[in-house]
Amino acid sequence: EVQLVESGGGLVKPGESLRLSCAASGFTFSNAWMSWVRQAPGKGLEWVGRIKRKDEGGTTIYGAPVKGRFTISRDDSKNTTFLQMNSLKTEDTAVYYCAAGRGVTDFDDWGQGTLVTVSS
Amino acid sequence: QSVLTQPPSASGTPGQRVTISCSGSSSNIGRNDVYWYQQLPGMAPKLLIYRNNQRPSGVPDRFSGSKSGTSASLAISGLRSDDEADYYCTTWDASLSGHVFGPGTKVTVL
């Protein structure tokens, strides 16, 4: 069974940093593209970014609102992907989901999400 | 403001058929596959339809998708109370070089 478990969310002040983790199991992690999608309270889904497989260069791509501030990385030895968030803004407040792209879509499977609140 | 347009809400009585539209442009739906996700209250999204009209295993055939030009649609037939959820369309946008989601449609079973 595919499982994705996010962690690392919490309350931070504007301008601060936070690192989210997503631990994967139940599939060959190194073969998957890993993505992050967020959802502000009461709002819709917003794509954050994605990292390709290591054998495809592990390249990353980001949505405009987070480009230059957020960084996605992966550690295939730990079956984990990370989202480093710097210079956080109040508008970054959201539930952050990680998603695994295992060949059908970029978002075949989703974690349960972790809440990030940016407030002074 | 999303580049994809969905109606904010749709409703029907049990057993009815409900259709949700997703309208885009030549830079997104017009050139890429459309995917649909169901988000039950308090839950993570779940893949419902991929590549415009394909259902993952386990998704009932009451759910169907279609695409024509720069628009796509999701149909739910034989509406059930547990279909009450938010439904999102998504695709790749070539101009933005990224995934875009529709604003979501809340389906209510009357």
Side-chain angles (χ1 to χ4, degrees), chain A residues 1 8-10 30-31 36 40 45 52-53 63 66 68-69 75-76 78-79 88 91 97 108-109 111 120:
Chain A
E1 180 197 2
S30 59
N31 288 347
W36 289 89
L45 302 172
K52 286 188 175 181
R53 296 158 40 156
V66 308
R69 299 187 299 123
D75 184 341
D76 289 357
K78 294 186 168 71
N79 289 354
L88 281 160
E91 53 264 40
Y97 295 100
D108 293 339
D109 304 282
S120 53

PDB file of all heavy atoms in Angstrom, chain A residues 1 8-10 30-31 36 40 45 52-53 63 66 68-69 75-76 78-79 88 91 97 108-109 111 120:
ATOM      1  N   GLU A   1       0.845  -1.206   0.000  1.00  0.00           N
ATOM      2  CA  GLU A   1       0.000   0.000   0.000  1.00  0.00           C
ATOM      3  C   GLU A   1       0.877   1.250   0.000  1.00  0.00           C
ATOM      4  O   GLU A   1       1.788   1.382   0.800  1.00  0.00           O
ATOM      5  CB  GLU A   1      -0.897  -0.001   1.244  1.00  0.00           C
ATOM      6  CG  GLU A   1      -1.813   1.208   1.350  1.00  0.00           C
ATOM      7  CD  GLU A   1      -2.370   1.385   2.765  1.00  0.00           C
ATOM      8  OE1 GLU A   1      -2.010   0.599   3.670  1.00  0.00           O
ATOM      9  OE2 GLU A   1      -3.150   2.330   2.964  1.00  0.00           O
ATOM     10  N   GLY A   8       6.601  18.297   9.739  1.00  0.00           N
ATOM     11  CA  GLY A   8       7.400  19.518   9.777  1.00  0.00           C
ATOM     12  C   GLY A   8       6.598  20.806   9.777  1.00  0.00           C
ATOM     13  O   GLY A   8       7.178  21.894   9.899  1.00  0.00           O
ATOM     14  N   GLY A   9       5.278  20.706   9.636  1.00  0.00           N
ATOM     15  CA  GLY A   9       4.469  21.915   9.626  1.00  0.00           C
ATOM     16  C   GLY A   9       4.427  22.574  10.997  1.00  0.00           C
ATOM     17  O   GLY A   9       4.844  21.984  12.001  1.00  0.00           O
ATOM     18  N   GLY A  10       3.934  23.800  11.034  1.00  0.00           N
ATOM     19  CA  GLY A  10       3.822  24.505  12.301  1.00  0.00           C
ATOM     20  C   GLY A  10       3.597  25.982  12.097  1.00  0.00           C
ATOM     21  O   GLY A  10       3.316  26.432  10.980  1.00  0.00           O
ATOM     22  N   SER A  30      12.544   5.797  -5.803  1.00  0.00           N
ATOM     23  CA  SER A  30      13.520   6.365  -6.741  1.00  0.00           C
ATOM     24  C   SER A  30      12.957   6.476  -8.158  1.00  0.00           C
ATOM     25  O   SER A  30      13.491   7.220  -8.985  1.00  0.00           O
ATOM     26  CB  SER A  30      14.798   5.524  -6.754  1.00  0.00           C
ATOM     27  OG  SER A  30      14.508   4.191  -7.131  1.00  0.00           O
ATOM     28  N   ASN A  31      11.880   5.744  -8.433  1.00  0.00           N
ATOM     29  CA  ASN A  31      11.269   5.783  -9.761  1.00  0.00           C
ATOM     30  C   ASN A  31      10.183   6.842  -9.895  1.00  0.00           C
ATOM     31  O   ASN A  31       9.601   7.005 -10.978  1.00  0.00           O
ATOM     32  CB  ASN A  31      10.652   4.419 -10.121  1.00  0.00           C
ATOM     33  CG  ASN A  31      11.704   3.363 -10.416  1.00  0.00           C
ATOM     34  OD1 ASN A  31      12.883   3.680 -10.595  1.00  0.00           O
ATOM     35  ND2 ASN A  31      11.293   2.109 -10.446  1.00  0.00           N
ATOM     36  N   TRP A  36       4.804  18.812  -4.651  1.00  0.00           N
ATOM     37  CA  TRP A  36       4.146  19.438  -3.503  1.00  0.00           C
ATOM     38  C   TRP A  36       3.005  20.304  -4.037  1.00  0.00           C
ATOM     39  O   TRP A  36       3.157  21.032  -5.029  1.00  0.00           O
ATOM     40  CB  TRP A  36       5.128  20.289  -2.702  1.00  0.00           C
ATOM     41  CG  TRP A  36       6.139  19.470  -1.944  1.00  0.00           C
ATOM     42  CD1 TRP A  36       7.350  19.034  -2.397  1.00  0.00           C
ATOM     43  CD2 TRP A  36       6.029  18.989  -0.596  1.00  0.00           C
ATOM     44  NE1 TRP A  36       7.987  18.308  -1.435  1.00  0.00           N
ATOM     45  CE2 TRP A  36       7.205  18.271  -0.314  1.00  0.00           C
ATOM     46  CE3 TRP A  36       5.058  19.098   0.396  1.00  0.00           C
ATOM     47  CZ2 TRP A  36       7.434  17.666   0.933  1.00  0.00           C
ATOM     48  CZ3 TRP A  36       5.276  18.503   1.628  1.00  0.00           C
ATOM     49  CH2 TRP A  36       6.451  17.792   1.894  1.00  0.00           C
ATOM     50  N   ALA A  40      -4.644  26.656   0.709  1.00  0.00           N
ATOM     51  CA  ALA A  40      -4.910  27.654   1.738  1.00  0.00           C
ATOM     52  C   ALA A  40      -6.258  27.358   2.390  1.00  0.00           C
ATOM     53  O   ALA A  40      -7.129  26.742   1.771  1.00  0.00           O
ATOM     54  CB  ALA A  40      -4.904  29.055   1.131  1.00  0.00           C
ATOM     55  N   LEU A  45      -6.747  24.039  -4.664  1.00  0.00           N
ATOM     56  CA  LEU A  45      -5.409  23.471  -4.734  1.00  0.00           C
ATOM     57  C   LEU A  45      -4.488  24.352  -5.570  1.00  0.00           C
ATOM     58  O   LEU A  45      -4.907  24.926  -6.575  1.00  0.00           O
ATOM     59  CB  LEU A  45      -5.478  22.072  -5.378  1.00  0.00           C
ATOM     60  CG  LEU A  45      -6.366  21.059  -4.671  1.00  0.00           C
ATOM     61  CD1 LEU A  45      -6.506  19.789  -5.501  1.00  0.00           C
ATOM     62  CD2 LEU A  45      -5.838  20.735  -3.285  1.00  0.00           C
ATOM     63  N   LYS A  52      12.088  15.672 -10.398  1.00  0.00           N
ATOM     64  CA  LYS A  52      12.146  14.460 -11.204  1.00  0.00           C
ATOM     65  C   LYS A  52      12.995  13.402 -10.520  1.00  0.00           C
ATOM     66  O   LYS A  52      13.603  13.626  -9.477  1.00  0.00           O
ATOM     67  CB  LYS A  52      12.732  14.785 -12.574  1.00  0.00           C
ATOM     68  CG  LYS A  52      11.788  15.532 -13.508  1.00  0.00           C
ATOM     69  CD  LYS A  52      12.396  15.638 -14.900  1.00  0.00           C
ATOM     70  CE  LYS A  52      11.454  16.264 -15.893  1.00  0.00           C
ATOM     71  NZ  LYS A  52      12.044  16.340 -17.257  1.00  0.00           N
ATOM     72  N   ARG A  53      13.085  12.249 -11.146  1.00  0.00           N
ATOM     73  CA  ARG A  53      13.919  11.158 -10.671  1.00  0.00           C
ATOM     74  C   ARG A  53      15.390  11.537 -10.787  1.00  0.00           C
ATOM     75  O   ARG A  53      15.767  12.358 -11.638  1.00  0.00           O
ATOM     76  CB  ARG A  53      13.668   9.907 -11.519  1.00  0.00           C
ATOM     77  CG  ARG A  53      12.278   9.357 -11.423  1.00  0.00           C
ATOM     78  CD  ARG A  53      11.888   8.492 -12.592  1.00  0.00           C
ATOM     79  NE  ARG A  53      12.934   7.607 -13.086  1.00  0.00           N
ATOM     80  CZ  ARG A  53      12.644   6.486 -13.755  1.00  0.00           C
ATOM     81  NH1 ARG A  53      11.398   6.141 -13.956  1.00  0.00           N
ATOM     82  NH2 ARG A  53      13.627   5.740 -14.227  1.00  0.00           N
ATOM     83  N   GLY A  63       6.200  26.684  -9.077  1.00  0.00           N
ATOM     84  CA  GLY A  63       5.191  27.656  -9.428  1.00  0.00           C
ATOM     85  C   GLY A  63       5.681  29.073  -9.156  1.00  0.00           C
ATOM     86  O   GLY A  63       6.537  29.277  -8.279  1.00  0.00           O
ATOM     87  N   VAL A  66       6.223  30.787  -5.551  1.00  0.00           N
ATOM     88  CA  VAL A  66       7.234  30.281  -4.611  1.00  0.00           C
ATOM     89  C   VAL A  66       8.633  30.232  -5.223  1.00  0.00           C
ATOM     90  O   VAL A  66       9.611  29.954  -4.516  1.00  0.00           O
ATOM     91  CB  VAL A  66       6.871  28.871  -4.085  1.00  0.00           C
ATOM     92  CG1 VAL A  66       5.447  28.871  -3.529  1.00  0.00           C
ATOM     93  CG2 VAL A  66       7.022  27.809  -5.164  1.00  0.00           C
ATOM     94  N   GLY A  68      12.220  30.803  -6.271  1.00  0.00           N
ATOM     95  CA  GLY A  68      13.277  31.596  -5.636  1.00  0.00           C
ATOM     96  C   GLY A  68      13.237  31.571  -4.126  1.00  0.00           C
ATOM     97  O   GLY A  68      14.205  31.981  -3.469  1.00  0.00           O
ATOM     98  N   ARG A  69      12.137  31.102  -3.547  1.00  0.00           N
ATOM     99  CA  ARG A  69      12.024  31.026  -2.082  1.00  0.00           C
ATOM    100  C   ARG A  69      11.953  29.589  -1.586  1.00  0.00           C
ATOM    101  O   ARG A  69      12.409  29.284  -0.487  1.00  0.00           O
ATOM    102  CB  ARG A  69      10.765  31.771  -1.603  1.00  0.00           C
ATOM    103  CG  ARG A  69      10.746  33.246  -1.942  1.00  0.00           C
ATOM    104  CD  ARG A  69       9.554  33.951  -1.285  1.00  0.00           C
ATOM    105  NE  ARG A  69       8.267  33.410  -1.728  1.00  0.00           N
ATOM    106  CZ  ARG A  69       7.338  32.916  -0.914  1.00  0.00           C
ATOM    107  NH1 ARG A  69       7.525  32.893   0.374  1.00  0.00           N
ATOM    108  NH2 ARG A  69       6.192  32.468  -1.414  1.00  0.00           N
ATOM    109  N   ASP A  75      15.910  12.476  -0.987  1.00  0.00           N
ATOM    110  CA  ASP A  75      16.944  11.562  -0.509  1.00  0.00           C
ATOM    111  C   ASP A  75      16.400  10.160  -0.764  1.00  0.00           C
ATOM    112  O   ASP A  75      15.592   9.642   0.029  1.00  0.00           O
ATOM    113  CB  ASP A  75      17.204  11.794   0.975  1.00  0.00           C
ATOM    114  CG  ASP A  75      18.342  10.929   1.509  1.00  0.00           C
ATOM    115  OD1 ASP A  75      18.686   9.918   0.870  1.00  0.00           O
ATOM    116  OD2 ASP A  75      18.877  11.257   2.572  1.00  0.00           O
ATOM    117  N   ASP A  76      16.831   9.571  -1.868  1.00  0.00           N
ATOM    118  CA  ASP A  76      16.299   8.268  -2.241  1.00  0.00           C
ATOM    119  C   ASP A  76      16.721   7.181  -1.251  1.00  0.00           C
ATOM    120  O   ASP A  76      16.036   6.154  -1.130  1.00  0.00           O
ATOM    121  CB  ASP A  76      16.751   7.893  -3.654  1.00  0.00           C
ATOM    122  CG  ASP A  76      16.061   8.727  -4.739  1.00  0.00           C
ATOM    123  OD1 ASP A  76      15.194   9.550  -4.374  1.00  0.00           O
ATOM    124  OD2 ASP A  76      16.395   8.559  -5.922  1.00  0.00           O
ATOM    125  N   LYS A  78      16.551   7.434   1.845  1.00  0.00           N
ATOM    126  CA  LYS A  78      15.602   7.509   2.957  1.00  0.00           C
ATOM    127  C   LYS A  78      14.158   7.543   2.463  1.00  0.00           C
ATOM    128  O   LYS A  78      13.233   7.725   3.268  1.00  0.00           O
ATOM    129  CB  LYS A  78      15.858   8.759   3.807  1.00  0.00           C
ATOM    130  CG  LYS A  78      17.177   8.766   4.553  1.00  0.00           C
ATOM    131  CD  LYS A  78      17.261   9.981   5.484  1.00  0.00           C
ATOM    132  CE  LYS A  78      18.428   9.887   6.453  1.00  0.00           C
ATOM    133  NZ  LYS A  78      19.709  10.055   5.825  1.00  0.00           N
ATOM    134  N   ASN A  79      13.961   7.384   1.150  1.00  0.00           N
ATOM    135  CA  ASN A  79      12.599   7.439   0.578  1.00  0.00           C
ATOM    136  C   ASN A  79      11.854   8.682   1.037  1.00  0.00           C
ATOM    137  O   ASN A  79      10.675   8.622   1.427  1.00  0.00           O
ATOM    138  CB  ASN A  79      11.793   6.181   0.960  1.00  0.00           C
ATOM    139  CG  ASN A  79      12.267   4.933   0.243  1.00  0.00           C
ATOM    140  OD1 ASN A  79      13.127   4.998  -0.630  1.00  0.00           O
ATOM    141  ND2 ASN A  79      11.724   3.798   0.619  1.00  0.00           N
ATOM    142  N   LEU A  88       9.241  33.130   4.306  1.00  0.00           N
ATOM    143  CA  LEU A  88       7.816  32.817   4.299  1.00  0.00           C
ATOM    144  C   LEU A  88       6.964  34.071   4.441  1.00  0.00           C
ATOM    145  O   LEU A  88       7.327  35.031   5.144  1.00  0.00           O
ATOM    146  CB  LEU A  88       7.494  31.813   5.395  1.00  0.00           C
ATOM    147  CG  LEU A  88       7.863  30.368   5.026  1.00  0.00           C
ATOM    148  CD1 LEU A  88       7.987  29.492   6.258  1.00  0.00           C
ATOM    149  CD2 LEU A  88       6.839  29.794   4.058  1.00  0.00           C
ATOM    150  N   GLU A  91       0.776  34.770   3.049  1.00  0.00           N
ATOM    151  CA  GLU A  91       0.002  34.082   2.009  1.00  0.00           C
ATOM    152  C   GLU A  91       0.496  32.666   1.720  1.00  0.00           C
ATOM    153  O   GLU A  91      -0.100  31.955   0.898  1.00  0.00           O
ATOM    154  CB  GLU A  91      -0.033  34.898   0.715  1.00  0.00           C
ATOM    155  CG  GLU A  91       1.309  35.329   0.183  1.00  0.00           C
ATOM    156  CD  GLU A  91       1.690  36.744   0.603  1.00  0.00           C
ATOM    157  OE1 GLU A  91       1.430  37.132   1.778  1.00  0.00           O
ATOM    158  OE2 GLU A  91       2.264  37.472  -0.239  1.00  0.00           O
ATOM    159  N   TYR A  97       0.572  19.365   0.817  1.00  0.00           N
ATOM    160  CA  TYR A  97       0.503  17.944   0.486  1.00  0.00           C
ATOM    161  C   TYR A  97       1.705  17.556  -0.360  1.00  0.00           C
ATOM    162  O   TYR A  97       2.091  18.307  -1.269  1.00  0.00           O
ATOM    163  CB  TYR A  97      -0.747  17.640  -0.334  1.00  0.00           C
ATOM    164  CG  TYR A  97      -2.070  17.850   0.356  1.00  0.00           C
ATOM    165  CD1 TYR A  97      -2.824  18.998   0.127  1.00  0.00           C
ATOM    166  CD2 TYR A  97      -2.603  16.877   1.197  1.00  0.00           C
ATOM    167  CE1 TYR A  97      -4.057  19.180   0.721  1.00  0.00           C
ATOM    168  CE2 TYR A  97      -3.835  17.053   1.807  1.00  0.00           C
ATOM    169  CZ  TYR A  97      -4.556  18.204   1.560  1.00  0.00           C
ATOM    170  OH  TYR A  97      -5.783  18.375   2.154  1.00  0.00           O
ATOM    171  N   ASP A 108      -0.354  10.861  -8.540  1.00  0.00           N
ATOM    172  CA  ASP A 108      -1.084   9.591  -8.416  1.00  0.00           C
ATOM    173  C   ASP A 108      -1.567   9.357  -6.996  1.00  0.00           C
ATOM    174  O   ASP A 108      -2.663   8.866  -6.773  1.00  0.00           O
ATOM    175  CB  ASP A 108      -0.178   8.418  -8.831  1.00  0.00           C
ATOM    176  CG  ASP A 108       0.152   8.444 -10.306  1.00  0.00           C
ATOM    177  OD1 ASP A 108      -0.597   9.074 -11.067  1.00  0.00           O
ATOM    178  OD2 ASP A 108       1.162   7.823 -10.702  1.00  0.00           O
ATOM    179  N   ASP A 109      -0.711   9.645  -6.035  1.00  0.00           N
ATOM    180  CA  ASP A 109      -1.026   9.383  -4.628  1.00  0.00           C
ATOM    181  C   ASP A 109      -0.655  10.605  -3.803  1.00  0.00           C
ATOM    182  O   ASP A 109       0.306  11.298  -4.116  1.00  0.00           O
ATOM    183  CB  ASP A 109      -0.242   8.168  -4.123  1.00  0.00           C
ATOM    184  CG  ASP A 109      -0.502   6.933  -4.972  1.00  0.00           C
ATOM    185  OD1 ASP A 109      -1.557   6.314  -4.810  1.00  0.00           O
ATOM    186  OD2 ASP A 109       0.360   6.623  -5.813  1.00  0.00           O
ATOM    187  N   GLY A 111      -0.303  12.453   0.270  1.00  0.00           N
ATOM    188  CA  GLY A 111      -0.221  12.325   1.714  1.00  0.00           C
ATOM    189  C   GLY A 111      -1.418  12.998   2.361  1.00  0.00           C
ATOM    190  O   GLY A 111      -2.294  13.532   1.681  1.00  0.00           O
ATOM    191  N   SER A 120       2.381  36.719  12.364  1.00  0.00           N
ATOM    192  CA  SER A 120       3.170  37.425  13.369  1.00  0.00           C
ATOM    193  C   SER A 120       2.466  37.400  14.725  1.00  0.00           C
ATOM    194  O   SER A 120       3.014  37.849  15.730  1.00  0.00           O
ATOM    195  CB  SER A 120       3.417  38.868  12.928  1.00  0.00           C
ATOM    196  OG  SER A 120       2.190  39.497  12.608  1.00  0.00           O
TER     197      SER A 120
END
